[in-house]
Amino acid sequence: MSCPQPRPTEFRLPLRAESFSIEEHRNVHCRFYGGCIDVAVKKDWDSFTCAKCPMFRQDRAPGADAYAFNQPADAGRP
């Protein structure tokens, strides 16, 4: 079974569209997001969407629990 690959697609809405939320069209927390930006730049797209990508719903925003125990100890506090 092959691993799903990210597939950004060109997004053709006006650059200043206020009628949509970016979270509806992109997953900025995806581990491949930077690569998709590279694809969009190389193809000279004004914008792109992740909506058709198999990875769109996989990586989600980290919650507070992801950071709760990762803080360095502060020996100066009681």
Side-chain angles (χ1 to χ4, degrees), residues 13 18 21-22 24 33-34 36 39 41 43-44 53 68 73:
L13 277 183
E18 282 88 25
S21 168
I22 195 69
E24 294 174 19
Y33 189 72
C36 293
V39 168
V41 168
K43 293 187 175 191
D44 198 31
C53 179

Side-chain angles (χ1 to χ4, degrees), residues 13-56:
L13 277 183
L15 291 175
R16 296 184 184 262
E18 282 88 25
S19 61
F20 67 90
S21 168
I22 195 69
E23 292 84 13
E24 294 174 19
H25 299 281
R26 292 189 190 171
N27 180 358
V28 298
H29 302 286
C30 178
R31 68 192 92 178
F32 299 108
Y33 189 72
C36 293
I37 290 174
D38 290 343
V39 168
V41 168
K42 288 177 184 174
K43 293 187 175 191
D44 198 31
W45 293 345
D46 288 332
S47 188
F48 72 95
T49 180
C50 306
K52 295 180 182 178
C53 179
M55 308 296 284
F56 184 47

